[in-house]
């Protein structure tokens, strides 16, 4: 009888091991199959007033995979089948974590106070203290405004380290050149890439400084990597002002200014020019170019072709929004 009892226990033990091993194999197989499945999640991002937000970052929680919304605030992102959370972020808005469910998703972002200590780079964010020397943030209160300031370069001049602003041409209405951390090319342009409200544009340098909420300047390779070779000369991210819910606001800016030449070149008069030409002719054994009775004029053509310029600026801005 003692022997029979031992044999029975042994068989039960072997059977238990077989069941456990089989279950483990099944679990592993399910995990491997799920890893290769993908799905496309679509949605739209708006603000509290129902207006679409373009350039918002949509990233998979815990990864660097993400996309940006288009002009209509819509997005489509392909993710693994086991992804359940997305993080939606935008400058000036509170981050929102959403659960991936039935598509399309409707996401509404709430306004938040502007945090210049938090820098948006590509699809992610980083603390400014961790990127010292590579990113500069300039708020609207620190820009050069008023007077004859009419472009981004003049508004940034002297406000960010490693950013050189030079007026290469003195022709009226020309924008100064902006070079970030020195020139990278002798033959090609050294101008940075402009991104306005999430969109890459070639006219970013001409935006009125009065319409700018803040400017972020990306300088090093790690922060500009998301923009590829176009960001080799640095990236200037510009966020423009937006209307806020409540009463309509009216802002007006009126300024007058003058532009004049600081130093005129020193020129010779008509008689001096005639004397020089006659002296050259005499040295070369030729007769005088101008006779003694030749009527000499003294027209200052430089002063005749230039004059002080008047700069007039009249800006009126209406802003506001209504939920209806």
């Amino acid at each position: 009888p003692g022997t029979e009892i031992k044999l029975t226990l042994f068989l039960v033990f072997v059977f238990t091991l077989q069941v456990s091993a089989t279950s483990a194999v099944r679990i592993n197989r399910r995990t491997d199959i799920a890893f290769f499945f993908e799905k496309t999640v679509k949605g739209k991002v708006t603000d509290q007033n129902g207006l679409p937000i373009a350039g918002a970052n949509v990233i998979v929680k815990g990864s660097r995979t993400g996309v940006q919304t288009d002009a209509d605030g819509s997005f489509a992102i392909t993710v693994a089948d086991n992804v359940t959370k997305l993080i939606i972020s935008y400058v000036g808005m509170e981050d929102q974590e959403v659960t991936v469910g039935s598509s399309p998703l409707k996401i509404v972002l709430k306004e938040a106070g502007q945090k210049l200590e938090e820098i948006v780079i590509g699809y992610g964010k980083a603390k400014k203290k961790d990127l010292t020397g590579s990113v500069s943030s300039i708020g609207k209160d620190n820009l050069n405004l008023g007077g004859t300031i009419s472009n981004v370069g003049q508004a940034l001049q002297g406000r960010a380290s490693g950013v050189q602003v030079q007026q290469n041409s003195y022709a009226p209405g020309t924008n100064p050149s902006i070079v970030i951390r020195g020139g990278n090319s002798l033959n090609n342009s050294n101008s940075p890439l402009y991104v306005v409200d999430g969109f890459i544009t070639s006219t970013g340098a001409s935006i009125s400084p009065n319409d700018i909420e803040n400017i972020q300047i990306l300088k090093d390779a790690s922060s500009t990597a998301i923009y590829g070779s176009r960001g080799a000369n640095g990236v200037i991210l510009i966020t423009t002002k937006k209307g806020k819910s409540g009463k309509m606001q009216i802002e007006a800016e009126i300024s007058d200014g003058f532009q004049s030449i600081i130093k005129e070149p020193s020129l010779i008069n008509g008689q001096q020019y005639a004397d020089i030409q006659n002296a050259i002719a005499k040295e070369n054994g030729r007769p005088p170019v101008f006779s003694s009775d030749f009527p000499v004029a003294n027209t200052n053509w430089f002063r005749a072709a230039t004059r002080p310029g008047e700069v007039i600026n009249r800006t009126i801005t209406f802003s506001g929004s209504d939920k209806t």
Side-chain angles (χ1 to χ4, degrees):
T3 304
E4 293 178 357
I5 293 173
K6 290 181 181 180
L7 181 59
T8 303
L9 291 175
F10 176 76
L11 291 175
V12 171
F13 178 70
V14 172
F15 177 75
T16 304
L17 287 179
Q18 290 178 347
V19 172
S20 300
T22 304
S23 299
V25 172
R26 288 179 179 176
I27 292 174
N28 289 337
R29 285 179 180 175
R30 288 177 182 175
T31 303
D32 293 339
I33 293 173
F35 178 80
F36 293 99
F37 279 111
E38 291 182 340
K39 59 184 177 182
T40 300
V41 180
K42 298 181 179 180
K44 185 174 183 178
V45 181
T46 62
D47 58 13
Q48 293 174 297
N49 301 315
L51 299 177
I53 298 178
N57 298 321
V58 181
I59 63 174
V60 177
K61 184 179 181 181
S63 73
R64 302 286 292 182
T65 303
V67 296
Q68 288 187 325
T69 57
D70 58 18
D72 297 328
S74 302
F75 69 90
I77 181 173
T78 302
V79 298
D81 188 56
N82 59 351
V83 170
T84 59
K85 298 289 184 180
L86 296 176
I87 304 296
I88 317 299
S89 63
Y90 187 72
V91 177
M93 299 286 184
E94 294 181 358
D95 295 354
Q96 185 170 340
E97 180 179 317
V98 297
T99 301
V100 176
S102 58
S103 188
L105 302 174
K106 295 182 179 180
I107 303 162
V108 179
L109 297 183
K110 298 180 180 179
E111 293 183 357
Q114 183 62 32
K115 300 178 180 179
L116 292 180
E117 293 299 322
E118 196 173 56
I119 310 300
V120 178
I121 303 175
Y123 300 135
K125 292 186 177 181
K127 293 294 183 181
K128 183 180 178 182
K129 64 181 181 180
D130 297 332
L131 296 170
T132 301
S134 62
V135 175
S136 294
S137 297
I138 306 98
K140 61 182 179 181
D141 296 331
N142 296 322
L143 293 173
N144 300 321
L145 299 176
T148 58
I149 304 299
S150 60
N151 53 64
V152 175
Q154 294 173 340
L156 282 177
Q157 195 164 23
R159 296 297 181 176
S161 62
V163 179
Q164 300 174 359
V165 181
Q166 296 179 342
Q167 189 73 43
N168 296 327
S169 174
Y170 292 96
T174 56
N175 295 327
S177 64
I178 301 177
V179 179
I180 299 175
R181 286 192 171 181
N184 296 322
S185 174
L186 296 176
N187 300 321
N188 299 322
S189 173
N190 289 309
S191 299
L193 178 69
Y194 290 90
V195 181
V196 180
D197 292 334
F199 291 93
I200 297 176
T201 176
S202 59
T203 59
S206 301
I207 292 179
S208 173
N210 298 314
D211 296 332
I212 296 176
E213 181 70 23
N214 67 77
I215 297 177
Q216 298 175 3
I217 303 175
L218 312 184
K219 305 174 185 178
D220 66 348
S222 60
S223 57
T224 62
I226 191 66
Y227 300 100
S229 60
R230 292 178 295 180
N233 296 323
V235 180
I236 297 180
L237 304 177
I238 300 175
T239 302
T240 58
K241 296 179 181 178
K242 296 176 176 61
K244 297 180 180 179
S245 59
K247 296 182 179 180
M248 178 176 290
Q249 296 181 350
I250 302 177
E251 298 180 359
E253 180 179 351
I254 301 174
S255 62
D256 292 334
F258 294 92
Q259 292 180 337
S260 60
I261 298 173
I262 298 176
K263 184 179 180 181
E264 294 184 4
S266 178
L267 303 175
I268 60 177
N269 57 33
Q271 186 60 51
Q272 290 172 336
Y273 178 78
D275 294 341
I276 293 174
Q277 294 299 320
N278 288 338
I280 294 175
K282 184 178 180 181
E283 288 182 359
N284 295 328
R286 297 196 304 266
V289 179
F290 300 98
S291 62
S292 58
D293 58 348
F294 185 86
V296 178
N298 289 308
T299 303
N300 190 327
W301 292 109
F302 184 84
R303 292 182 180 178
T306 60
R307 64 179 180 179
E310 184 179 4
V311 180
I312 301 175
N313 180 29
R314 304 288 188 268
T315 303
I316 300 178
T317 304
F318 296 85
S319 64
S321 62
D322 193 347
K323 294 182 179 180
T324 58

